[in-house]
Amino acid sequence: MKKLFFAKKGSIVAGLVMLSLLSACGNEDDTASEETTTAWDDIQEEGSLTVATSGTLFPTSYREEGSDELTGFEVEVVRAIGERLELDIEFTELGFDEMLTSVQTGQVDLAANDIEITEDREENFIFSTPFKYSYGTAIVRSEDLSGIETLEDLEGKKAAGASTSVYMETAREYGAEEVVYDNATNETYLRDVAIGRTDVILNDYYLQTLAIAAFPELDITIHPDLKYSPSEVGVVMNKDNEELAENVNRVIEEMLEDGTIAEISAEFFNGADATEKVDIEE
């Protein structure tokens, strides 16, 4: 159409008439071309969800000894979500901090790795309907509880964990020295406490109890008196992916109602139902 502006003077009127006719005929197509596809449309077209998880967080996301198959509480919850949405699940294994960045930049569709719902995170992400409720505990050395009686005693202690986790935020709040690992295994975290390289691991009750049980040879225990920060966990999605969140929430709520997630919880949390809300005195 730019050629009209370079046409000879005698042809301008005819060109404008033709342009008018073409515009009238093209209104419907132009409107259609302006319709944008959503992330949910793309996901449905591709037939799959890309999911960030660590692969090293027992029993949420891990591999059983001698197996290459990824499993765990949230891994299986996500697989059940995919089945109900008729989508394949493609897992990408990342460190905790990388997961949130990848969701934010659209490299993955969601993240599932025992990520607690907080007000700060809700400003930047969409969380699904919660499907796991818990509270914070502390792993310490058995012989002296790492010299910790209350959260105030964390001051000056070496606390191990992911730098952006809510538990590390608690450690910093009480003056602990943070020791950060890059997607390390549970055994590394636990052994370092046992040998005194670090003093404490603040984390979720269910994860802590099972981690302790997995390594009975280590001289560590869950602190008998520290219970704090009731928590809710859901999968994490990009702030703009509202339609994806609606569909994920729909099937999560179905699975909470029919007991599917409770059954998965029992499998990975030694019979416990982590979908039940907890009430603790802080």
Side-chain angles (χ1 to χ4, degrees):
M1 296 182 185
K2 288 183 178 179
K3 290 182 179 179
L4 293 174
F5 294 99
F6 297 95
K8 293 182 180 179
K9 186 175 180 180
S11 64
I12 290 178
V13 174
L16 289 174
V17 171
M18 181 61 70
L19 179 60
S20 177
L21 290 172
L22 287 172
S23 297
C25 294
N27 280 345
E28 188 173 336
D29 290 339
D30 289 346
T31 301
S33 66
E34 289 175 1
E35 293 179 1
T36 57
T37 59
T38 66
W40 175 242
D41 293 330
D42 293 337
I43 288 166
Q44 286 186 301
E45 184 177 348
E46 293 172 8
S48 65
L49 273 174
T50 55
V51 181
T53 193
S54 69
T56 60
L57 184 61
F58 178 83
T60 288
S61 172
Y62 70 103
R63 286 180 173 79
E64 296 205 13
E65 189 174 349
S67 172
D68 289 333
E69 179 71 14
L70 194 64
T71 189
F73 172 62
E74 287 194 46
V75 167
E76 299 308 331
V77 168
V78 166
R79 285 193 173 122
I81 291 171
E83 184 175 341
R84 296 204 181 198
L85 293 176
E86 298 182 348
L87 297 170
D88 294 331
I89 300 296
E90 298 177 1
F91 288 105
T92 299
E93 293 175 48
L94 300 171
F96 182 83
D97 296 345
E98 278 187 283
M99 290 180 209
L100 298 183
T101 300
S102 295
V103 170
Q104 206 159 34
T105 58
Q107 292 174 284
V108 298
D109 298 312
L110 56 86
N113 203 69
D114 202 59
I115 303 174
E116 183 177 337
I117 302 169
T118 67
E119 290 183 5
D120 287 345
R121 288 176 183 161
E122 285 184 311
E123 290 180 4
N124 299 305
F125 302 95
I126 298 176
F127 277 88
S128 71
T129 298
F131 53 80
K132 175 176 174 282
Y133 297 88
S134 189
Y135 56 88
T137 54
I139 287 179
V140 291
R141 285 183 289 281
S142 300
E143 58 182 358
D144 63 352
L145 302 182
S146 297
I148 298 169
E149 293 184 9
T150 67
L151 290 174
E152 283 73 16
D153 295 324
L154 289 172
E155 185 171 1
K157 300 293 184 182
K158 293 182 178 179
S163 64
T164 56
S165 74
V166 294
Y167 299 104
M168 189 59 83
E169 289 174 11
T170 298
R172 282 194 294 266
E173 178 185 343
Y174 284 94
E177 176 187 341
E178 63 182 285
V179 180
V180 177
Y181 297 76
D182 183 17
N183 210 27
T185 64
N186 279 3
E187 183 175 5
T188 300
Y189 280 96
L190 299 170
R191 193 170 297 280
D192 280 359
V193 172
I195 66 177
R197 185 173 294 162
T198 58
D199 298 303
V200 61
I201 302 168
L202 302 184
N203 212 318
D204 168 79
Y205 165 75
Y206 290 110
L207 301 187
Q208 301 273 57
T209 54
L210 291 173
I212 289 280
F215 300 96
E217 73 279 9
L218 298 180
D219 184 29
I220 52 178
T221 188
I222 290 180
H223 199 292
D225 301 321
L226 293 186
K227 297 179 181 179
Y228 57 92
S229 299
S231 62
E232 301 179 356
V233 165
V235 296
V236 184
M237 292 159 281
N238 186 286
K239 194 75 171 177
D240 296 328
N241 291 356
E242 294 182 1
E243 196 171 0
L244 169 62
E246 289 172 6
N247 283 280
V248 168
N249 284 339
R250 172 175 56 81
V251 296
I252 285 176
E253 286 158 17
E254 288 174 2
M255 292 192 294
L256 288 169
E257 180 69 25
D258 65 25
T260 298
I261 299 180
E263 290 178 8
I264 297 172
S265 171
E267 179 182 352
F268 290 98
F269 295 127
N270 198 27
D273 183 0
T275 69
E276 294 182 353
K277 293 185 178 181
V278 296
D279 183 21
I280 66 169
E281 293 183 10
E282 293 193 77

